[in-house]
Structure formats: C-alpha cells, structure tokens
Amino acid sequence: MNISEFSQKPSSGYTYAKNEVPPFVITTNRTLLAILSIGNEVVFKGIYAPDFNGQISIDFRGLYDVYLKTIIPTTGNDEITHTEYRRRFTATFEVVVGEDTPGDSNTISWYVANARLKSETPFYEWGRANFLTNQPIEKTTNYEAPEWLTWWDDGALCELTARFYRRNGTSMDVTVKTDADEGVYSCNVRYSRLIRMANVLPSSLLGYYDLILSNVKDGEVCRQRYIYEERSGHEKYFLFVNALGGIDTLICKGENVLAPDITHNIGRFGRQYRALDDTNDMRKWTQHIGQVPNRQRNWIYELLTAKQGAEKYDPETMKYLEIVVDSSELSMSDFGQLAGSPFSYILNETENVVADTERPDRSLHQSVADHADELYDETTKVFVAFSHGATEPVTIPSDMLYVLFDNDESQKMETVYYFINGTKEGEFTIGYDESPVEISIKEGVSVHFETEGALESLELRYYPINNL
C-alpha cells in the first residue's frame, strides 16, 4: 500500500480541533490493520475490509477526547502550562496477510487540540491568532473576580501585556507573562493582580484595561478588553473550561439558593425510633446568572454544555472549589436587551461535609451588637429593710450574693457591715464601692446587714443553685 492510495487523510504535523480531524479514506482491495497510538501507548486497534467501491473509511473521532485535558486553576497559582491540551497522535496502517501478519505499512502523525471549532479557518491558523475563548471581547469585571486567558504559542516568542490607559491620554504597559517554548498557557489576568504589577495609582487611570498577546514574528496577535464595574456584593464567580479548551469566568449576579436532596430514614430499635445515617444526601445549589446582555447567550450556552470542568471561586478565602453542573434551564430570548437563566451544581466531592471556608462571616460587627436586647434576668430578688440599724437574717440558697444599692448623695460614704451566720465577715461603703457588691458565701448560710447611718434598705440578688 502506497501513500498515494489515501484519497483523504489528516495532514502530517498539522494541529486540528477535535471535531476537525478528517477521516481516513483509503482506496485498496486489501484488508488493513489500523492502529492509533500516542507515543508507545496504543489507543485503538481494528481490522477493516474494503467496501464494494474498493474503499476503507476510518474515523477516529471520539477516541481523542479521553487523552486531551485542560488543567483548571488551583489555589495560589496564577499561571498554568497545559501539558495535555495538545497531543500528537499516530496512525499506522498495515496490510493483513494470512493470520494478521503485517505486510507493507504507512504511518501518519498529526496533532489534536482540546478544542471544538466551527470556523472557515482551520484550527492550526485560528488558534495562533486568537485567545482560546469565545467570551465577549469587551467583558466587565471587578476587583475580586478571577479572569483567565488561554492561548497557544506555536513556537514564536510570545508576550502577554496588560495595557492601562491614563487620564492624561497616555498609556502604560506591563508584561504579564513571556513564554519561549511552544505550548498552551493560561494566566490569571484579574484586575487586583495586574494593578499591583503595574504599581500605579488607580485614580490616575481610566476604568478599563487591555490584554494584548504578541509575538516576535507577527507583532500583536489578539486583544481582550476588561471594563471595570464596581461589585454589588451579590456576585458569585464560576470558572468553566470552554469549548475551545480555554478557561473563562462567568460572573453571576443573581441569587444563590441552597436546595439539597435530603432523605430521612427512620428505624425502630426496641421501643424507640432512631434517625438512620444511611442515606446518600446531596448538597445542591441553584445559581441564577442574573441579567446579562442578550448577545452573551451563545457564550453562556457554550460554558454550560462544554462539560470539561468547572469551579466556584470563593473571594473570601481565594480558593477554587471544583463543582459539577448537573442541570441548567437556559432560556434566553432574543427580544429585549437583557436575559438570565439558572443552573444547578454540586461539589465534586462525595463526602457530604461542610467545609470551614463556608462559614459566611468570621468578623464581629458592633452595629449588630448595638441592636441586641436586654439580657433576661434569672436571679431571685430579695429586699431587706433596716430597723434600728440592722436587717433580719436571710437564708441564701446560693454560693454568690449580689448586693445592690442606690448611690444617693445623702447616703454616700455610709458603711455597711455584713454578717454570715452571725459572724462579721466584711463591709462595703456606699459611694466608694460600686453596686452591686459581690459576696462569696456557702450555700444555705444566713446573712444579715448592719449600719450606723440612715440607710433604709438593700436589694439582694442570687442564682438559686437548685435551679441551675
């Protein structure tokens, strides 16, 4: 079998999107053994016989997917080099002679990228001239939103630059990343990261910035603009691997609803019922995207249907939590300017536990404390009156006695003596000592008070021990 017998085949060394790789069409009257491999690993092996037209058609579509992957962001990492985004596949065709004995063989190698593209331009040209995203070329963002851009460097020295625009009409550039080796890269281009790299006061800048990808061969290759929009406090941030294998951020301004699937099983043990912890409960959230421009509906559809990986970003802890989108209700009309739809998701962890990062707030607020009600008083109150400078003995069923009095000007500096079981144990002075005076006692003792002044009464309070 000669190479001329291929009436259709992938071009050797070309890079294709997953849906672009042309099937093999081979004109032959022989039975062929087809082998698809990556390096030394055999992906597929099959024997094909020609049809009535003397042709064999072989399409490897669907076999590529499991070997291609886009790495999603991890906490603390702002740059990603994708090692499995684009891989080299090799097809070998051998003539079957007798019992699968190989005869003449032909080998063809090509590259497949983790992308699906519908364009008049083939991926090996399109990918070199665009960021790997279909997001709006002018996208709104804020100071806490993560924003990632992915691109393919085909071997030319590439540089990713952030350009800020000053209010005086000039601009300033800051280099975000430079890569010299062929490969696919992703970079976090969030505002809060770039403004620190630029080291310039935001008050001197206009409210937008550009990300420019350029190389030494072609100059500027592509550009993405971010429009700054102050957050409302309701935003939730989701990262998706898009259809092109890049990483996009979807900022949702609608409500987030916890709507778990909970099952309760009850068992009887003897004469008592017990709750059984044998159910597969699932924490599930519904996220409303909020009102977005109608022209973004195709992009949102792409994110929800790509199904290659998704994360929820927590700006409080700056952590990425892997999620699985399990349902969506995309219904965006082309009538009007704004549209919105919800989608549901679960954490990809099977363990049904609440992480400590999910506590919504760990700071105390004085404004909340100022609205607190008065604490309920559970003490027992007893009033004792002085007669001829002494009170009647009172039995106290507690180990702590609180003595309250008014700091009346006419009673200031009057000294009061307290006796426990008839023995003088101490004293306090009105106006000098603060009310209440705390007296430690033993439960069930008898207490009375004496004074040489004109004090009329005292208020006693205690927590009865038998009520604790």
Side-chain angles (χ1 to χ4, degrees):
M1 184 178 68
N2 298 318
I3 201 70
S4 60
E5 295 172 337
F6 286 92
S7 54
Q8 180 176 288
K9 60 182 176 60
S11 297
S12 180
Y14 274 40
T15 297
Y16 296 92
K18 290 184 292 187
N19 62 313
E20 283 187 335
V21 185
F24 286 87
V25 179
I26 307 169
T27 302
T28 183
N29 57 2
R30 318 284 286 276
T31 299
L32 300 181
L33 172 66
I35 303 172
L36 180 68
S37 60
I38 299 180
N40 295 323
E41 180 181 359
V42 175
V43 174
F44 173 81
K45 182 184 291 187
I47 296 178
Y48 295 84
D51 59 17
F52 292 110
N53 297 318
Q55 289 186 330
I56 294 176
S57 297
I58 304 174
D59 191 350
F60 294 120
R61 183 176 302 187
L63 296 176
Y64 309 116
D65 298 45
V66 75
Y67 296 93
L68 301 174
K69 180 182 178 181
T70 295
I71 302 172
I72 57 179
T74 55
T75 303
N77 188 16
D78 288 322
E79 295 181 1
I80 298 173
T81 300
H82 298 280
T83 55
E84 298 181 40
Y85 176 89
R86 173 178 171 267
R87 304 193 70 179
R88 185 173 182 261
F89 289 83
T90 299
T92 301
F93 302 94
E94 301 176 345
V95 177
V96 176
V97 179
E99 295 295 327
D100 293 343
T101 303
D104 298 334
S105 65
N106 287 285
T107 299
I108 300 174
S109 296
W110 67 97
Y111 293 90
V112 182
N114 187 29
R116 296 185 184 277
L117 178 67
K118 187 176 183 180
S119 172
E120 296 296 327
T121 305
F123 184 81
Y124 65 85
E125 294 180 7
W126 189 94
R128 293 181 298 200
N130 293 273
F131 287 115
L132 298 176
T133 179
N134 285 322
Q135 70 182 9
I137 194 169
E138 297 173 324
K139 182 178 183 292
T140 59
T141 190
N142 60 54
Y143 72 90
E144 68 180 15
E147 296 287 351
W148 288 79
L149 283 175
T150 307
W151 66 94
W152 171 30
D153 179 355
D154 66 345
L157 177 64
C158 278
E159 183 174 84
L160 183 65
T161 302
R163 176 168 294 172
F164 290 93
Y165 297 89
R166 291 190 175 94
R167 295 184 182 276
N168 62 9
T170 62
S171 63
M172 65 169 299
D173 292 349
V174 55
T175 301
V176 181
K177 180 174 175 55
T178 301
D179 56 86
D181 299 324
E182 181 178 5
V184 178
Y185 304 91
S186 291
C187 190
N188 192 353
V189 294
R190 63 185 297 167
Y191 162 77
S192 59
R193 177 174 184 245
L194 299 185
I195 194 66
R196 291 173 180 268
M197 296 176 71
N199 199 21
V200 62
L201 291 178
S203 58
S204 66
L205 303 174
L206 298 176
Y208 62 92
Y209 60 96
D210 294 346
L211 269 297
I212 303 171
L213 184 67
S214 57
N215 62 46
V216 295
K217 181 173 61 177
D218 304 313
E220 181 176 327
V221 175
C222 52
R223 182 183 297 225
Q224 170 74 43
R225 174 162 291 181
Y226 291 96
I227 312 296
Y228 189 85
E229 181 178 75
E230 190 54 67
R231 60 188 292 274
S232 65
H234 297 289
E235 289 83 358
K236 299 292 188 298
Y237 307 99
F238 296 87
L239 281 75
F240 295 87
V241 176
N242 60 38
L244 295 166
I247 301 169
D248 287 348
T249 298
L250 178 62
I251 302 177
C252 299
K253 299 180 181 180
E255 63 179 349
N256 184 276
V257 181
L258 176 61
D261 292 335
I262 302 175
T263 303
H264 295 277
N265 283 347
I266 303 298
R268 178 174 176 172
F269 296 87
R271 302 181 63 181
Q272 293 183 322
Y273 290 104
R274 292 285 188 269
L276 302 180
D277 185 17
D278 63 350
T279 59
N280 187 21
D281 299 324
M282 182 182 297
R283 283 196 300 154
K284 183 176 180 179
W285 291 262
T286 297
Q287 176 65 55
H288 293 263
I289 294 175
Q291 297 298 301
V292 297
N294 175 273
R295 62 183 179 273
Q296 294 186 13
R297 63 180 182 170
N298 289 338
W299 172 59
I300 294 174
Y301 167 81
E302 173 199 314
L303 297 184
L304 295 178
T305 58
K307 302 172 185 176
Q308 291 200 74
E311 293 179 317
K312 182 177 184 292
Y313 177 75
D314 181 1
E316 292 289 335
T317 60
M318 301 182 71
K319 289 186 176 181
Y320 297 93
L321 305 173
E322 287 194 49
I323 64 171
V324 176
V325 176
D326 65 344
S327 65
S328 57
E329 300 177 18
L330 196 62
S331 178
M332 294 184 169
S333 169
D334 62 354
F335 183 78
Q337 296 299 312
L338 299 176
S341 289
F343 63 90
S344 296
Y345 65 93
I346 59 176
L347 296 180
N348 74 334
E349 298 177 349
T350 57
E351 190 72 17
N352 184 28
V353 295
V354 177
D356 61 350
T357 56
E358 294 182 41
R359 186 175 179 181
D361 200 345
R362 292 181 180 270
S363 58
L364 302 177
H365 303 88
Q366 187 59 43
S367 59
V368 176
D370 290 342
H371 287 85
D373 293 332
E374 292 290 333
L375 298 176
Y376 180 74
D377 191 348
E378 290 191 337
T379 58
T380 298
K381 302 178 184 180
V382 176
F383 289 91
V384 291
F386 286 91
S387 176
H388 304 292
T391 66
E392 292 292 331
V394 178
T395 300
I396 306 297
S398 180
D399 57 5
M400 180 65 73
L401 179 64
Y402 303 91
V403 183
L404 287 77
F405 47 82
D406 295 328
N407 284 314
D408 193 289
E409 287 292 334
S410 62
Q411 299 174 352
K412 276 192 174 183
M413 305 313 292
E414 287 193 16
T415 301
V416 178
Y417 305 92
Y418 56 90
F419 295 76
I420 299 176
N421 289 337
T423 301
K424 180 181 176 183
E425 296 291 344
E427 62 186 56
F428 57 86
T429 302
I430 297 176
Y432 177 79
D433 294 304
E434 292 292 329
S435 174
V437 173
E438 300 179 2
I439 303 175
S440 296
I441 58 177
K442 291 184 178 181
E443 178 188 0
V445 299
S446 173
V447 180
H448 80 274
F449 301 87
E450 296 182 5
T451 182
E452 297 176 357
L455 190 62
E456 296 182 353
S457 64
L458 291 173
E459 179 181 346
L460 309 183
R461 295 191 186 184
Y462 59 88
Y463 291 99
I465 288 181
N466 59 355
N467 287 347
L468 294 179

